[in-house]
Amino acid sequence: MSVNDPKIVVGPKEGFDAAVLEYDGKNYLVIATDPILGVPKEHFGFFTYHFASSDVAVFGAMPKWLIVNLLLPNGTTEEDLNSVMRELNAECKKYGTSIIGGHTGVYSTTRNFTATTTAIGIVKKDELRLPLAKPGDDIVITKGIAIEFAVGAAWFRAEELKKILSPSQISSLQEMYTLETVVKDASLAKKFARGMHDVTEGGLTTLHEIADNSEVGFEVYYEKLHMPPLVKKVVKFYGVNALTVSSTGTLIIISPQENTSKLIKVLHSHGINASTVGKFTEEKERVLIKKGRKEEFPKFEKDAYAEMY
């Protein structure tokens, strides 16, 4: 049970991946925490920064402080740890973030590199962005869908993928791990957005959470959804539903119609692919429009990414 604390502006709530606290008369504190596991060891530091930091960024704040707990398996070397910290520190420098505390330990019960990161940021009260929509708002997404699933397959199922991809294509897909963040996307979009949400577990079924909390419906145009070509090949190979599979790094932007063209132009000018794929509606229907026909938008049941990794 939680105590009744007037400083809590946003507490635990489905579809809200960060907490918001009163900070002072003009600002809120935004706090998010995330586990890091099931990611490539070679880039563990990158994910240790970006998973929680992305959840802070979608609320309109920039991650200012991190608390990092590293839980490492037996056999971890000093160079293993240094490699993680070099990459983590590089991301901190890129975004002006400081590590202010945490814990590091080696445990016999830990089989793989595991971490939890708590990210903290400050946002002006009138710049807070919550994942809430109004009828008529556009649904804009960045980068494309199913990216996390395909990139993970390239790292963990490379031998299987040799059936459909060349070694250079697999390497190219592996290097797309850098897309698995929305810190930059959200920092550019917040000026134009009503709200934002990272597409993680369950993929675009995240739209149901936004619709539930906003008391609206939505429609998505299947033909406008984008998948990078290599991602599309991997999705087809495994026979997964690209709409429902995890895609960390894809940002849903709830955009008032009058802002959408400027929003997309700004994202494109910074090298981030973005497109309008649908809109929120006053009618409570949640539909996918495919080849001109309406069908019920899928709900989250299981995520093929979690099953595979």
Side-chain angles (χ1 to χ4, degrees):
M1 257 183 96
S2 299
V3 299
N4 185 16
D5 186 340
K7 284 191 171 293
I8 301 173
V9 179
V10 176
K13 184 177 177 63
E14 187 174 2
F16 287 65
D17 292 334
V20 181
L21 303 179
E22 286 281 352
Y23 183 69
D24 59 28
K26 296 181 179 179
N27 301 285
Y28 291 129
L29 207 61
V30 180
I31 306 169
T33 191
D34 258 321
I36 301 90
L37 68 167
V39 300
K41 178 182 174 182
E42 293 86 344
H43 296 292
F44 196 81
F46 175 89
F47 295 104
T48 299
Y49 179 86
H50 281 282
F51 280 0
S53 294
S54 289
D55 286 342
V56 166
V58 297
F59 275 43
M62 284 300 290
K64 189 171 179 61
W65 304 290
L66 296 186
I67 299 170
V68 180
N69 294 303
L70 294 172
L71 311 177
L72 307 172
N74 282 336
T76 300
T77 66
E78 186 175 347
E79 178 50 35
D80 288 335
L81 178 59
N82 287 340
S83 177
V84 170
M85 294 310 299
R86 279 194 298 269
E87 191 171 46
L88 175 56
N89 283 325
E91 296 306 308
C92 285
K93 288 181 180 178
K94 187 184 298 183
Y95 295 101
T97 310
S98 299
I99 298 172
I100 60 170
H103 171 82
T104 303
V106 175
Y107 301 92
S108 59
T109 53
T110 302
R111 293 186 177 182
N112 301 299
F113 274 47
T114 305
T116 59
T117 301
T118 299
I120 306 167
I122 296 174
V123 62
K124 292 180 180 178
K125 289 189 173 183
D126 61 354
E127 294 179 2
L128 179 68
R129 298 291 181 262
L130 299 179
L132 298 172
K134 291 185 178 181
D137 286 344
D138 286 326
I139 301 169
V140 176
I141 68 167
T142 65
K143 299 175 183 140
I145 57 174
I147 292 171
E148 182 180 19
F149 174 83
V151 173
W155 281 100
F156 299 114
R157 300 291 184 93
E159 286 301 313
E160 286 181 1
L161 288 183
K162 287 180 180 178
K163 297 175 183 178
I164 60 164
L165 300 178
S166 69
S168 64
Q169 287 176 320
I170 292 172
S171 294
S172 294
L173 198 53
Q174 288 177 341
E175 289 308 303
M176 287 171 63
Y177 78 90
T178 58
L179 298 180
E180 293 184 47
T181 171
V182 298
V183 174
K184 182 178 179 181
D185 312 38
S187 69
L188 294 168
K190 64 184 180 182
K191 178 180 177 182
F192 308 96
R194 189 184 307 282
M196 299 177 283
H197 203 304
D198 192 3
V199 179
T200 52
E201 185 181 20
L204 286 184
T205 62
T206 296
L207 288 166
H208 287 294
E209 294 178 341
I210 297 172
D212 287 342
N213 291 324
S214 307
E215 298 184 349
V216 297
F218 61 83
E219 55 185 38
V220 172
Y221 317 123
Y222 184 81
E223 282 76 22
K224 292 191 176 182
L225 295 170
H226 171 69
M227 274 189 287
L230 291 178
V231 172
K232 187 177 291 187
K233 285 187 175 183
V234 174
V235 166
K236 184 178 180 181
F237 177 69
Y238 285 107
V240 302
N241 187 341
L243 296 174
T244 64
V245 73
S246 189
S247 188
T248 296
T250 301
L251 180 65
I252 293 175
I253 305 166
I254 303 161
S255 175
Q257 284 188 345
E258 63 271 19
N259 293 350
T260 299
S261 61
K262 292 180 182 178
L263 165 65
I264 292 175
K265 184 176 180 180
V266 167
L267 289 167
H268 285 176
S269 71
H270 286 82
I272 298 173
N273 181 55
S275 58
T276 305
V277 301
K279 64 181 179 180
F280 292 97
T281 61
E282 192 167 354
E283 297 78 17
K284 301 301 190 292
E285 282 187 310
R286 301 166 186 193
V287 299
L288 179 67
I289 300 176
K290 193 173 183 179
K291 295 181 179 179
R293 291 187 173 185
K294 288 185 177 182
E295 58 185 71
E296 186 178 356
F297 199 86
K299 295 181 179 179
F300 176 67
E301 294 180 355
K302 57 183 179 179
D303 191 322
Y305 182 87
E307 290 188 340
M308 182 172 286
Y309 309 109

PDB file of all heavy atoms in Angstrom, residues 6 12 35 57 69 71-72 75 78 96 99 101 111-112 132 140 152 154 194 206 218-219 231 246 269 285 289 298:
ATOM      1  N   PRO A   6       0.919  14.117  -1.448  1.00  0.00           N
ATOM      2  CA  PRO A   6       0.506  15.133  -2.419  1.00  0.00           C
ATOM      3  C   PRO A   6       1.585  15.472  -3.449  1.00  0.00           C
ATOM      4  O   PRO A   6       1.283  16.114  -4.450  1.00  0.00           O
ATOM      5  CB  PRO A   6       0.181  16.350  -1.538  1.00  0.00           C
ATOM      6  CG  PRO A   6       0.943  16.132  -0.273  1.00  0.00           C
ATOM      7  CD  PRO A   6       0.969  14.653  -0.067  1.00  0.00           C
ATOM      8  N   PRO A  12       1.924   4.792 -10.089  1.00  0.00           N
ATOM      9  CA  PRO A  12       1.831   3.587 -10.907  1.00  0.00           C
ATOM     10  C   PRO A  12       0.519   3.552 -11.691  1.00  0.00           C
ATOM     11  O   PRO A  12      -0.555   3.669 -11.114  1.00  0.00           O
ATOM     12  CB  PRO A  12       1.892   2.452  -9.869  1.00  0.00           C
ATOM     13  CG  PRO A  12       2.497   3.072  -8.646  1.00  0.00           C
ATOM     14  CD  PRO A  12       2.069   4.489  -8.648  1.00  0.00           C
ATOM     15  N   PRO A  35      14.645  -2.882 -16.109  1.00  0.00           N
ATOM     16  CA  PRO A  35      15.664  -3.927 -16.091  1.00  0.00           C
ATOM     17  C   PRO A  35      16.376  -3.996 -17.436  1.00  0.00           C
ATOM     18  O   PRO A  35      15.806  -3.618 -18.472  1.00  0.00           O
ATOM     19  CB  PRO A  35      14.845  -5.199 -15.855  1.00  0.00           C
ATOM     20  CG  PRO A  35      13.533  -4.910 -16.521  1.00  0.00           C
ATOM     21  CD  PRO A  35      13.297  -3.432 -16.333  1.00  0.00           C
ATOM     22  N   ALA A  57      12.356  10.405 -21.219  1.00  0.00           N
ATOM     23  CA  ALA A  57      12.292  11.325 -22.364  1.00  0.00           C
ATOM     24  C   ALA A  57      10.880  11.441 -22.930  1.00  0.00           C
ATOM     25  O   ALA A  57      10.474  12.521 -23.373  1.00  0.00           O
ATOM     26  CB  ALA A  57      13.264  10.873 -23.451  1.00  0.00           C
ATOM     27  N   ASN A  69      22.427  -0.354 -11.156  1.00  0.00           N
ATOM     28  CA  ASN A  69      22.783  -1.575 -10.436  1.00  0.00           C
ATOM     29  C   ASN A  69      23.202  -2.633 -11.444  1.00  0.00           C
ATOM     30  O   ASN A  69      22.394  -3.025 -12.298  1.00  0.00           O
ATOM     31  CB  ASN A  69      21.597  -2.099  -9.624  1.00  0.00           C
ATOM     32  CG  ASN A  69      21.218  -1.156  -8.500  1.00  0.00           C
ATOM     33  OD1 ASN A  69      22.040  -0.831  -7.659  1.00  0.00           O
ATOM     34  ND2 ASN A  69      19.972  -0.711  -8.506  1.00  0.00           N
ATOM     35  N   LEU A  71      24.412  -6.462 -11.948  1.00  0.00           N
ATOM     36  CA  LEU A  71      24.445  -7.782 -11.333  1.00  0.00           C
ATOM     37  C   LEU A  71      25.110  -8.720 -12.337  1.00  0.00           C
ATOM     38  O   LEU A  71      24.516  -9.054 -13.366  1.00  0.00           O
ATOM     39  CB  LEU A  71      23.033  -8.249 -11.000  1.00  0.00           C
ATOM     40  CG  LEU A  71      22.153  -7.235 -10.248  1.00  0.00           C
ATOM     41  CD1 LEU A  71      20.755  -7.804 -10.041  1.00  0.00           C
ATOM     42  CD2 LEU A  71      22.790  -6.845  -8.925  1.00  0.00           C
ATOM     43  N   LEU A  72      26.319  -9.156 -12.031  1.00  0.00           N
ATOM     44  CA  LEU A  72      27.153  -9.830 -13.017  1.00  0.00           C
ATOM     45  C   LEU A  72      27.398 -11.283 -12.629  1.00  0.00           C
ATOM     46  O   LEU A  72      27.477 -11.613 -11.444  1.00  0.00           O
ATOM     47  CB  LEU A  72      28.486  -9.091 -13.153  1.00  0.00           C
ATOM     48  CG  LEU A  72      28.350  -7.580 -13.432  1.00  0.00           C
ATOM     49  CD1 LEU A  72      29.702  -6.901 -13.362  1.00  0.00           C
ATOM     50  CD2 LEU A  72      27.697  -7.344 -14.787  1.00  0.00           C
ATOM     51  N   GLY A  75      32.792 -15.247 -13.311  1.00  0.00           N
ATOM     52  CA  GLY A  75      33.630 -15.260 -14.507  1.00  0.00           C
ATOM     53  C   GLY A  75      33.741 -13.911 -15.186  1.00  0.00           C
ATOM     54  O   GLY A  75      34.512 -13.737 -16.129  1.00  0.00           O
ATOM     55  N   GLU A  78      37.474  -7.870 -15.216  1.00  0.00           N
ATOM     56  CA  GLU A  78      37.552  -6.414 -15.076  1.00  0.00           C
ATOM     57  C   GLU A  78      37.357  -5.732 -16.417  1.00  0.00           C
ATOM     58  O   GLU A  78      36.728  -4.673 -16.503  1.00  0.00           O
ATOM     59  CB  GLU A  78      38.907  -6.029 -14.464  1.00  0.00           C
ATOM     60  CG  GLU A  78      39.011  -4.548 -14.145  1.00  0.00           C
ATOM     61  CD  GLU A  78      40.311  -4.201 -13.436  1.00  0.00           C
ATOM     62  OE1 GLU A  78      41.009  -5.125 -12.973  1.00  0.00           O
ATOM     63  OE2 GLU A  78      40.624  -2.993 -13.351  1.00  0.00           O
ATOM     64  N   GLY A  96      24.349  14.519 -21.644  1.00  0.00           N
ATOM     65  CA  GLY A  96      24.490  15.376 -20.468  1.00  0.00           C
ATOM     66  C   GLY A  96      23.940  14.767 -19.202  1.00  0.00           C
ATOM     67  O   GLY A  96      23.338  15.457 -18.373  1.00  0.00           O
ATOM     68  N   ILE A  99      25.905   9.747 -13.673  1.00  0.00           N
ATOM     69  CA  ILE A  99      25.624   8.600 -12.815  1.00  0.00           C
ATOM     70  C   ILE A  99      25.871   9.049 -11.376  1.00  0.00           C
ATOM     71  O   ILE A  99      26.963   9.497 -11.034  1.00  0.00           O
ATOM     72  CB  ILE A  99      26.526   7.404 -13.170  1.00  0.00           C
ATOM     73  CG1 ILE A  99      26.270   6.956 -14.615  1.00  0.00           C
ATOM     74  CG2 ILE A  99      26.277   6.241 -12.202  1.00  0.00           C
ATOM     75  CD1 ILE A  99      27.244   5.910 -15.119  1.00  0.00           C
ATOM     76  N   GLY A 101      24.892   7.113  -8.513  1.00  0.00           N
ATOM     77  CA  GLY A 101      24.954   6.044  -7.528  1.00  0.00           C
ATOM     78  C   GLY A 101      24.587   4.722  -8.133  1.00  0.00           C
ATOM     79  O   GLY A 101      24.353   4.609  -9.335  1.00  0.00           O
ATOM     80  N   ARG A 111      23.147 -15.663 -14.115  1.00  0.00           N
ATOM     81  CA  ARG A 111      23.726 -16.406 -15.243  1.00  0.00           C
ATOM     82  C   ARG A 111      24.241 -15.489 -16.343  1.00  0.00           C
ATOM     83  O   ARG A 111      25.193 -15.829 -17.039  1.00  0.00           O
ATOM     84  CB  ARG A 111      22.690 -17.362 -15.826  1.00  0.00           C
ATOM     85  CG  ARG A 111      22.296 -18.489 -14.881  1.00  0.00           C
ATOM     86  CD  ARG A 111      21.387 -19.473 -15.570  1.00  0.00           C
ATOM     87  NE  ARG A 111      21.039 -20.589 -14.722  1.00  0.00           N
ATOM     88  CZ  ARG A 111      20.280 -21.612 -15.100  1.00  0.00           C
ATOM     89  NH1 ARG A 111      19.784 -21.635 -16.336  1.00  0.00           N
ATOM     90  NH2 ARG A 111      20.020 -22.598 -14.264  1.00  0.00           N
ATOM     91  N   ASN A 112      23.581 -14.360 -16.532  1.00  0.00           N
ATOM     92  CA  ASN A 112      23.940 -13.444 -17.613  1.00  0.00           C
ATOM     93  C   ASN A 112      24.043 -12.023 -17.073  1.00  0.00           C
ATOM     94  O   ASN A 112      23.555 -11.727 -15.979  1.00  0.00           O
ATOM     95  CB  ASN A 112      22.875 -13.487 -18.720  1.00  0.00           C
ATOM     96  CG  ASN A 112      22.713 -14.869 -19.315  1.00  0.00           C
ATOM     97  OD1 ASN A 112      23.635 -15.426 -19.879  1.00  0.00           O
ATOM     98  ND2 ASN A 112      21.510 -15.435 -19.170  1.00  0.00           N
ATOM     99  N   LEU A 132      -1.543  10.729 -23.516  1.00  0.00           N
ATOM    100  CA  LEU A 132      -2.994  10.911 -23.604  1.00  0.00           C
ATOM    101  C   LEU A 132      -3.340  11.589 -24.923  1.00  0.00           C
ATOM    102  O   LEU A 132      -2.621  12.502 -25.355  1.00  0.00           O
ATOM    103  CB  LEU A 132      -3.495  11.745 -22.426  1.00  0.00           C
ATOM    104  CG  LEU A 132      -3.266  11.145 -21.034  1.00  0.00           C
ATOM    105  CD1 LEU A 132      -3.623  12.160 -19.958  1.00  0.00           C
ATOM    106  CD2 LEU A 132      -4.075   9.860 -20.858  1.00  0.00           C
ATOM    107  N   VAL A 140       1.721   9.345 -35.154  1.00  0.00           N
ATOM    108  CA  VAL A 140       2.986   9.388 -35.895  1.00  0.00           C
ATOM    109  C   VAL A 140       3.934   8.402 -35.235  1.00  0.00           C
ATOM    110  O   VAL A 140       4.023   8.351 -34.006  1.00  0.00           O
ATOM    111  CB  VAL A 140       3.586  10.803 -35.882  1.00  0.00           C
ATOM    112  CG1 VAL A 140       4.947  10.827 -36.576  1.00  0.00           C
ATOM    113  CG2 VAL A 140       2.635  11.802 -36.549  1.00  0.00           C
ATOM    114  N   GLY A 152      17.403  -8.327 -32.356  1.00  0.00           N
ATOM    115  CA  GLY A 152      17.694  -9.390 -31.397  1.00  0.00           C
ATOM    116  C   GLY A 152      17.963 -10.714 -32.089  1.00  0.00           C
ATOM    117  O   GLY A 152      18.871 -11.463 -31.712  1.00  0.00           O
ATOM    118  N   ALA A 154      19.201 -11.095 -35.024  1.00  0.00           N
ATOM    119  CA  ALA A 154      20.514 -11.014 -35.668  1.00  0.00           C
ATOM    120  C   ALA A 154      21.644 -11.291 -34.684  1.00  0.00           C
ATOM    121  O   ALA A 154      22.671 -11.868 -35.050  1.00  0.00           O
ATOM    122  CB  ALA A 154      20.696  -9.646 -36.311  1.00  0.00           C
ATOM    123  N   ARG A 194       1.418  16.107 -28.250  1.00  0.00           N
ATOM    124  CA  ARG A 194       0.544  16.164 -27.088  1.00  0.00           C
ATOM    125  C   ARG A 194       1.033  15.138 -26.060  1.00  0.00           C
ATOM    126  O   ARG A 194       0.989  15.355 -24.863  1.00  0.00           O
ATOM    127  CB  ARG A 194      -0.900  15.851 -27.480  1.00  0.00           C
ATOM    128  CG  ARG A 194      -1.881  16.129 -26.333  1.00  0.00           C
ATOM    129  CD  ARG A 194      -3.311  15.732 -26.688  1.00  0.00           C
ATOM    130  NE  ARG A 194      -3.793  16.309 -27.925  1.00  0.00           N
ATOM    131  CZ  ARG A 194      -4.216  17.556 -28.068  1.00  0.00           C
ATOM    132  NH1 ARG A 194      -4.182  18.395 -27.038  1.00  0.00           N
ATOM    133  NH2 ARG A 194      -4.659  17.996 -29.239  1.00  0.00           N
ATOM    134  N   THR A 206       0.338  -1.146 -27.807  1.00  0.00           N
ATOM    135  CA  THR A 206       0.445  -0.016 -26.876  1.00  0.00           C
ATOM    136  C   THR A 206      -0.668   1.007 -27.124  1.00  0.00           C
ATOM    137  O   THR A 206      -1.089   1.717 -26.206  1.00  0.00           O
ATOM    138  CB  THR A 206       1.820   0.657 -27.044  1.00  0.00           C
ATOM    139  OG1 THR A 206       2.833  -0.265 -26.663  1.00  0.00           O
ATOM    140  CG2 THR A 206       1.939   1.918 -26.217  1.00  0.00           C
ATOM    141  N   PHE A 218      -9.213   4.526 -32.147  1.00  0.00           N
ATOM    142  CA  PHE A 218      -8.151   4.848 -33.115  1.00  0.00           C
ATOM    143  C   PHE A 218      -8.304   4.001 -34.357  1.00  0.00           C
ATOM    144  O   PHE A 218      -8.957   2.951 -34.351  1.00  0.00           O
ATOM    145  CB  PHE A 218      -6.758   4.656 -32.508  1.00  0.00           C
ATOM    146  CG  PHE A 218      -6.433   3.253 -32.060  1.00  0.00           C
ATOM    147  CD1 PHE A 218      -5.979   2.295 -32.969  1.00  0.00           C
ATOM    148  CD2 PHE A 218      -6.572   2.876 -30.729  1.00  0.00           C
ATOM    149  CE1 PHE A 218      -5.678   1.010 -32.563  1.00  0.00           C
ATOM    150  CE2 PHE A 218      -6.273   1.588 -30.309  1.00  0.00           C
ATOM    151  CZ  PHE A 218      -5.827   0.654 -31.235  1.00  0.00           C
ATOM    152  N   GLU A 219      -7.710   4.480 -35.438  1.00  0.00           N
ATOM    153  CA  GLU A 219      -7.612   3.692 -36.652  1.00  0.00           C
ATOM    154  C   GLU A 219      -6.190   3.799 -37.189  1.00  0.00           C
ATOM    155  O   GLU A 219      -5.573   4.872 -37.139  1.00  0.00           O
ATOM    156  CB  GLU A 219      -8.635   4.139 -37.707  1.00  0.00           C
ATOM    157  CG  GLU A 219      -8.595   5.592 -38.082  1.00  0.00           C
ATOM    158  CD  GLU A 219      -9.728   5.974 -39.032  1.00  0.00           C
ATOM    159  OE1 GLU A 219     -10.851   5.457 -38.848  1.00  0.00           O
ATOM    160  OE2 GLU A 219      -9.481   6.781 -39.947  1.00  0.00           O
ATOM    161  N   VAL A 231      14.457  -5.900 -41.622  1.00  0.00           N
ATOM    162  CA  VAL A 231      13.514  -6.250 -40.555  1.00  0.00           C
ATOM    163  C   VAL A 231      12.343  -7.031 -41.148  1.00  0.00           C
ATOM    164  O   VAL A 231      11.897  -8.046 -40.595  1.00  0.00           O
ATOM    165  CB  VAL A 231      13.012  -4.982 -39.827  1.00  0.00           C
ATOM    166  CG1 VAL A 231      11.895  -5.321 -38.856  1.00  0.00           C
ATOM    167  CG2 VAL A 231      14.169  -4.301 -39.103  1.00  0.00           C
ATOM    168  N   SER A 246       7.648  -6.763 -29.920  1.00  0.00           N
ATOM    169  CA  SER A 246       8.360  -5.664 -29.265  1.00  0.00           C
ATOM    170  C   SER A 246       9.234  -4.892 -30.245  1.00  0.00           C
ATOM    171  O   SER A 246       9.896  -5.468 -31.102  1.00  0.00           O
ATOM    172  CB  SER A 246       9.224  -6.228 -28.132  1.00  0.00           C
ATOM    173  OG  SER A 246       9.770  -5.197 -27.349  1.00  0.00           O
ATOM    174  N   SER A 269      14.762  16.005 -40.692  1.00  0.00           N
ATOM    175  CA  SER A 269      15.968  16.838 -40.803  1.00  0.00           C
ATOM    176  C   SER A 269      17.085  16.350 -39.885  1.00  0.00           C
ATOM    177  O   SER A 269      18.255  16.695 -40.083  1.00  0.00           O
ATOM    178  CB  SER A 269      15.638  18.297 -40.497  1.00  0.00           C
ATOM    179  OG  SER A 269      15.357  18.482 -39.120  1.00  0.00           O
ATOM    180  N   GLU A 285     -14.175   2.670 -31.497  1.00  0.00           N
ATOM    181  CA  GLU A 285     -13.641   1.549 -32.272  1.00  0.00           C
ATOM    182  C   GLU A 285     -12.118   1.614 -32.350  1.00  0.00           C
ATOM    183  O   GLU A 285     -11.537   2.697 -32.381  1.00  0.00           O
ATOM    184  CB  GLU A 285     -14.188   1.570 -33.701  1.00  0.00           C
ATOM    185  CG  GLU A 285     -15.588   1.057 -33.862  1.00  0.00           C
ATOM    186  CD  GLU A 285     -15.949   0.977 -35.331  1.00  0.00           C
ATOM    187  OE1 GLU A 285     -15.744   1.979 -36.049  1.00  0.00           O
ATOM    188  OE2 GLU A 285     -16.428  -0.083 -35.758  1.00  0.00           O
ATOM    189  N   ILE A 289      -7.061  -0.655 -40.805  1.00  0.00           N
ATOM    190  CA  ILE A 289      -7.595  -0.545 -42.154  1.00  0.00           C
ATOM    191  C   ILE A 289      -6.561  -1.125 -43.114  1.00  0.00           C
ATOM    192  O   ILE A 289      -5.462  -0.589 -43.277  1.00  0.00           O
ATOM    193  CB  ILE A 289      -7.923   0.913 -42.509  1.00  0.00           C
ATOM    194  CG1 ILE A 289      -8.962   1.452 -41.523  1.00  0.00           C
ATOM    195  CG2 ILE A 289      -8.440   1.008 -43.944  1.00  0.00           C
ATOM    196  CD1 ILE A 289      -9.290   2.916 -41.717  1.00  0.00           C
ATOM    197  N   PRO A 298      -5.358  -5.809 -33.419  1.00  0.00           N
ATOM    198  CA  PRO A 298      -5.002  -6.898 -32.495  1.00  0.00           C
ATOM    199  C   PRO A 298      -4.715  -6.399 -31.085  1.00  0.00           C
ATOM    200  O   PRO A 298      -4.270  -5.272 -30.884  1.00  0.00           O
ATOM    201  CB  PRO A 298      -3.747  -7.503 -33.132  1.00  0.00           C
ATOM    202  CG  PRO A 298      -3.208  -6.443 -34.027  1.00  0.00           C
ATOM    203  CD  PRO A 298      -4.391  -5.662 -34.506  1.00  0.00           C
TER     204      PRO A 298
END
